[in-house]
């Protein structure tokens, strides 16, 4: 099965990954006389690696919450704007109806204050009386309709006010969620970056190697499970376009809350890729999981989205041959990796 790529992109098969270099050893006490012996109880590099990865994963979860709150805030804002337009239209309608009712009152005043029925009764012409009676019924119905419509429009305005109040409350709640998630994201990333900043250059290199080795082990175990044996899926035309968009972004930086064109977070990449393919999908990985049709791993085809971790905090796009493209986390760029290099929760298909 060939990887679907953008024109000019060299595909990398992930069905048989090459063996990693020797696993990095944990921090060990320095030899006697060496200048930099670690303090008692110091964390091993493996422990630092796990802590950093967990912090970034938690930041990913908070990013999903932030993106969802941003979307909901925009939706509520749009509803409030629509209600405002309805209020203006309702007020204009009430003004028209009041003018109509006022015109009828002024006409009655000019006739000496006599109701139309009394004027007809005093008429000396039978034919005028009969014609007038029909006009009177029409006029009474028009007046009744005007009053009824006026009452309905006033009731609508009251409902609009109630709706606007409810939407404002939801809008403010979403803004609070958005700000809370933003603070959590920034704190998690700051903590992770502080941990990394304390490492020496050699240790940082070993940390990257640990990350690669962990991904290799997970991918190898996934492939050994036979996950690719029954894969026969061929990309749809829309799926091919989505893969081409996603792979064309390789090398661009991850940045939380962004959906292009220069930086992306994980779900920003997948949602924009499918938008480019003509299929708008939910903005966040959790909403993509909740709202898009699920497919079995054995039925996976290029363009499908792979949701990772129990909390659905990360998403990637399958591109074939056991590989996926994704925006990993802060400090990383969009890249191709093994589809099984993280715990798979589900696979969803935007164009099912």
């Amino acid at each position: 099965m060939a990887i679907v790529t953008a024109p000019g992109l060299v595909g990398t098969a992930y069905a048989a990954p090459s063996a990693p270099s020797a696993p990095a050893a944990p921090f060990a006490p320095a030899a006697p006389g060496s200048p930099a012996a670690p303090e008692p109880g110091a964390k091993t590099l493996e422990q630092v690696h796990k802590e950093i990865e967990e912090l970034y994963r938690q930041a990913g979860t908070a990013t999903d919450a932030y993106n969802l709150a941003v979307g909901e805030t925009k939706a509520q804002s749009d509803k409030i704007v629509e209600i405002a337009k309805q209020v203006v239209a309702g007020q204009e309608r009430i003004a028209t109806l009041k003018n109509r009712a006022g015109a009828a009152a002024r006409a009655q005043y000019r006739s000496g204050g006599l109701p139309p029925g009394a004027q007809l009764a005093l008429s000396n012409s039978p034919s005028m009386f009969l014609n007038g009676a029909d006009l009177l019924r029409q006029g009474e119905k028009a007046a009744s309709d005007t009053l009824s419509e006026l009452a309905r429009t006033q009731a609508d305005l009251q409902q609009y006010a109630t709706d606007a109040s409810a939407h404002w409350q939801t809008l403010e709640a979403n803004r609070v969620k958005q700000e809370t998630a933003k603070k959590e994201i920034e704190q998690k990333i700051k903590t992770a970056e502080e941990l990394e900043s304390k490492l020496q250059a050699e240790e940082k290199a070993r940390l990257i190697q640990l990350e690669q080795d962990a991904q290799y082990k997970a991918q190898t175990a996934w492939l050994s499970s036979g996950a690719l044996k029954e894969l026969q899926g061929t990309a749809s035309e829309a799926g091919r376009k989505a893969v081409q968009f996603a792979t064309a972004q390789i090398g661009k930086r991850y940045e939380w809350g962004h959906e292009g064109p220069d930086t992306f977070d994980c779900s920003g990449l997948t949602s924009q890729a499918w938008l480019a393919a003509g299929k708008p999908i939910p903005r966040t990985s959790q909403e993509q999981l909740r709202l898009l049709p699920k497919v079995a791993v054995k039925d996976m085809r290029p363009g499908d989205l792979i949701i990772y971790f129990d909390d659905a905090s990360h998403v990637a796009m399958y591109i074939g041959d056991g590989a996926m493209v994704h925006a990993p986390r802060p400090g990383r760029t969009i890249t191709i990796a093994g589809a099984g290099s993280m715990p798979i929760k589900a696979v969803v298909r935007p164009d099912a």
Side-chain angles (χ1 to χ4, degrees):
M1 182 193 308
I3 296 177
V4 178
T5 61
L9 178 68
V10 178
T12 303
Y14 278 77
S18 57
S21 59
F27 287 127
S34 62
E39 297 179 3
K43 295 177 182 177
T44 66
L45 191 59
E46 282 85 352
Q47 290 172 327
V48 173
H49 167 253
K50 288 181 180 179
E51 190 171 345
I52 289 173
E53 289 300 306
E54 179 60 21
L55 284 166
Y56 280 127
R57 197 184 69 76
Q58 291 173 4
T61 303
T63 297
D64 231 31
Y66 173 86
N67 290 335
L68 183 60
V70 168
E72 289 177 344
T73 298
K74 183 180 183 305
Q76 295 302 323
S77 296
D78 291 344
K79 288 178 182 177
I80 289 170
V81 170
E82 183 59 33
I83 288 173
K85 292 178 181 178
Q86 292 173 331
V87 167
V88 171
Q91 290 172 335
E92 291 175 349
R93 184 61 181 157
I94 283 178
T96 300
L97 293 170
K98 284 183 176 179
N99 286 338
R100 188 183 298 170
R106 288 190 295 273
Q108 182 173 335
Y109 175 78
R110 286 194 297 271
S111 67
L114 287 174
Q119 295 178 39
L120 284 175
L122 296 174
S123 172
N124 293 324
S125 169
S127 61
M128 183 181 295
F129 179 86
L130 292 174
N131 290 336
D134 186 54
L135 292 174
L136 176 61
R137 284 191 295 271
Q138 294 178 25
E140 289 175 341
K141 184 178 186 305
S144 175
D145 289 347
T146 298
L147 292 175
S148 296
E149 187 173 353
L150 182 61
R152 284 196 303 271
T153 306
Q154 289 174 329
D156 287 343
L157 286 179
Q158 291 177 345
Q159 185 60 51
Y160 294 154
T162 301
D163 291 346
S165 176
H167 287 306
W168 271 114
Q169 290 176 5
T170 304
L171 180 67
E172 288 306 308
N174 284 327
R175 283 176 177 164
V176 170
K177 290 179 185 177
Q178 186 176 326
E179 190 60 32
T180 300
K182 179 180 178 181
K183 289 178 180 177
E184 183 177 355
I185 294 164
E186 291 173 343
Q187 183 58 50
K188 298 293 184 185
I189 293 175
K190 180 182 178 182
T191 303
E193 288 175 344
E194 286 175 349
L195 281 172
E196 288 184 289
S197 69
K198 295 175 182 177
L199 301 175
Q200 301 298 321
E202 181 182 348
E203 294 165 349
K204 289 179 180 179
R206 290 170 62 196
L207 189 68
I208 292 174
Q209 185 62 54
L210 277 175
E211 182 180 323
Q212 294 173 345
D213 290 350
Q215 292 175 356
Y216 168 82
K217 285 181 65 177
Q219 175 75 354
T220 301
W222 183 64
L223 295 175
S224 299
S225 71
L228 291 182
K229 286 182 179 178
E230 298 182 43
L231 278 181
Q232 300 292 332
T234 301
S236 64
E237 183 59 31
R240 188 177 299 275
K241 290 178 181 178
V243 169
Q244 288 175 344
F245 178 94
T247 53
Q249 314 312 311
I250 288 174
K252 292 184 178 181
R253 287 187 304 109
Y254 176 104
E255 191 164 353
W256 68 267
H258 284 223
E259 46 188 335
D262 300 320
T263 57
F264 297 82
D265 60 24
C266 65
S267 57
L269 176 64
T270 55
S271 60
Q272 287 301 303
W274 273 100
L275 183 61
K279 177 74 175 178
I281 64 172
R283 168 66 174 88
T284 71
S285 56
Q286 292 175 349
E287 288 296 281
Q288 288 168 5
L289 172 65
R290 186 172 73 86
L291 297 175
L292 298 179
K294 296 178 182 61
V295 296
V297 171
K298 68 180 182 62
D299 297 323
M300 189 163 56
R301 69 188 187 193
D304 288 346
L305 305 183
I306 306 174
I307 310 295
Y308 293 99
F309 304 110
D310 287 340
D311 59 359
S313 57
H314 190 67
V315 60
M317 180 177 292
Y318 184 65
I319 59 175
D321 280 355
M324 55 81 164
V325 59
H326 71 146
R329 64 164 175 81
R332 298 288 187 266
T333 59
I334 295 172
T335 187
I336 290 177
S341 57
M342 292 174 287
I344 296 175
K345 180 176 180 64
V347 178
V348 297
R349 179 165 296 163
D351 62 338

